[in-house]
């Protein structure tokens, strides 16, 4: 899983409240003030005014498929029903033994059988659906079966996909990374102006986006059968992006106490 940080966004900083600015200029004589000018805030209210820094953060994360499914089809047509069944079952046993030797669990293998009469003969066909979590092992097994079995055994190209909940997990990760990026920017801003970053006052996710594969590669999806394994993995990779807006409290620089 890779994490890509988007270009930095604009940062708006508000460090000093302006409630007391212009107080002396507003006084005319005694207690009179100029018309249409804002009356200064009481000193108690001025002291409690919160200084804030507003930042936005973005992040983009991606995750490749975590499952692949391959279908192995075995068929036989014989004049005698027992011969057709025996031919298919013999190869099914060989496939099952090969999968077991490679450490594949039984719950990841599903077998279906179909037996019917075709004119003056009997036809039996079986499908073995295999789910892989290790793509290197998948390629080794498929190559081995192609080498050892005859042309009556057909192995489908792998179908890559994501397990349930993968997209939601990726969306949450994108949001968390965006929040972390915003916090780092706010921290750097406060350090630059000699202030201390306080607690977050507001966290808002403003935009989310997700997509699968390459946005500008629509034509390749039409020719999925001609794609390589790596191209199929890339095409099945999901992406998620998030943009957040955060308001942090800003504190004055803490003074170090001198020890006598």
């Amino acid at each position: 899983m890779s994490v890509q940080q988007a270009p930095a966004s604009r940062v708006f900083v508000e460090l000093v409240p302006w409630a007391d600015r212009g107080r002396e200029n507003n006084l005319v004589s005694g207690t009179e003030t100029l018309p249409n000018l804002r009356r200064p805030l009481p000193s108690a209210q001025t002291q409690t005014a919160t200084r804030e820094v507003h930042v936005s953060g973005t992040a983009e994360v991606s995750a490749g498929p975590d499952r692949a499914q391959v279908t192995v089809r075995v068929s036989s047509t014989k004049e005698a029903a027992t011969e057709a069944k025996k031919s298919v079952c013999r190869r099914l046993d060989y496939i099952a033994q090969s999968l077991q030797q490679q450490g594949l669990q039984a719950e990841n293998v599903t077998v279906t059988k179909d037996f019917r009469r075709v004119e003056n003969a009997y036809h039996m066909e079986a499908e073995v659906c295999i789910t892989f979590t290790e793509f290197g092992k998948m390629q080794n097994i498929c190559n081995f079966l192609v080498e050892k079995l005859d042309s009556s055994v057909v192995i489908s190209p792998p179908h890559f996909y994501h397990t349930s909940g993968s997209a939601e997990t990726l969306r949450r990760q994108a949001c968390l990374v965006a929040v972390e990026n915003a916090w780092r920017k706010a921290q750097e801003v406060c350090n630059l102006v000699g202030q201390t970053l306080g607690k977050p006052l507001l966290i808002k996710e403003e935009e989310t986006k997700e997509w699968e594969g390459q946005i500008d590669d629509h034509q390749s999806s039409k020719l999925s059968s001609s794609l390589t394994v790596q191209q199929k993995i890339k095409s099945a990779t999901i992406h998620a992006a998030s943009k957040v807006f955060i308001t942090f409290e800003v504190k004055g620089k803490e003074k170090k106490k001198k020890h006598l």
Side-chain angles (χ1 to χ4, degrees):
M1 183 173 292
S2 59
V3 178
Q4 303 176 1
Q5 298 185 6
S9 304
R10 292 181 298 174
V11 179
F12 303 91
V13 183
E14 182 182 347
L15 295 176
V16 182
W18 55 275
D20 285 345
R21 294 181 182 176
R23 183 182 181 90
E24 295 180 359
N25 295 334
N26 288 345
L27 296 177
V28 178
S29 61
T31 59
E32 295 182 2
T33 59
L34 293 175
N36 299 327
L37 290 180
R38 184 174 180 178
R39 186 178 298 277
L41 295 174
S43 58
Q45 187 173 353
T46 302
Q47 293 176 359
T48 59
T50 303
R51 296 183 300 169
E52 301 173 351
V53 57
H54 305 268
V55 296
S56 62
T58 59
E60 179 182 318
V61 295
S62 61
D66 54 2
R67 295 290 187 276
Q69 188 175 76
V70 173
T71 301
V72 181
R73 295 182 177 87
V74 182
S75 62
S76 177
T77 303
K78 302 287 185 180
E79 293 183 0
T82 55
E83 291 298 322
K85 291 181 180 180
K86 186 184 299 183
S87 175
V88 171
C89 291
R90 184 176 64 252
R91 283 172 288 178
L92 286 178
D93 291 340
Y94 183 81
I95 293 173
Q97 183 180 4
S98 301
L99 297 177
Q100 187 177 6
Q101 290 175 349
Q102 292 291 333
L104 207 65
Q105 300 297 323
E107 56 265 23
N108 293 326
V109 181
T110 304
V111 180
T112 57
K113 300 177 182 179
D114 177 56
F115 184 74
R116 62 182 180 272
R117 190 181 183 95
V118 180
E119 297 181 352
N120 296 327
Y122 294 92
H123 179 81
M124 184 171 181
E125 184 173 310
E127 285 190 354
V128 183
C129 294
I130 314 168
T131 302
F132 294 93
T133 57
E134 300 178 34
F135 300 156
K137 180 182 291 188
M138 174 199 69
Q139 289 183 285
N140 292 336
I141 291 177
C142 290
N143 293 339
F144 177 79
L145 294 178
V146 168
E147 179 183 356
K148 296 300 181 179
L149 299 175
D150 56 32
S151 59
S152 62
V153 178
V154 179
I155 302 177
S156 70
H159 169 66
F160 297 95
Y161 65 97
H162 296 264
T163 52
S164 177
S166 296
E168 180 60 31
T169 300
L170 196 66
R171 284 192 292 268
R172 289 198 300 268
Q173 183 184 4
C175 180
L176 294 177
V177 175
V179 170
E180 182 180 1
N181 291 341
W183 176 82
R184 291 185 185 277
K185 286 199 295 184
Q187 185 74 51
E188 292 176 2
V189 169
C190 288
N191 291 340
L192 182 65
V193 296
Q195 302 294 310
T196 302
L197 185 66
K199 63 183 179 181
L201 304 176
L202 172 68
I203 301 177
K204 180 181 179 183
E205 188 175 33
E206 294 186 322
E207 182 181 348
T208 60
K209 183 173 62 174
E210 59 183 86
W211 64 95
E212 184 177 7
Q214 299 298 314
I215 296 179
D216 56 349
D217 197 13
H218 298 291
Q219 294 182 351
S220 64
S221 60
K222 299 178 181 179
L223 303 174
S224 58
S225 59
S226 62
L227 297 179
T228 65
V229 171
Q230 291 301 323
Q231 288 174 330
K232 290 181 178 180
I233 293 176
K234 187 176 181 180
S235 179
T237 298
I238 56 177
H239 305 261
S242 175
K243 179 181 180 181
V244 299
F245 175 83
I246 307 180
T247 299
F248 289 96
E249 180 184 9
V250 175
K251 300 180 180 180
K253 199 71 174 180
E254 297 180 355
K255 296 182 179 180
K256 297 182 178 180
K257 294 182 180 180
K258 296 182 178 179
H259 299 282
L260 297 177

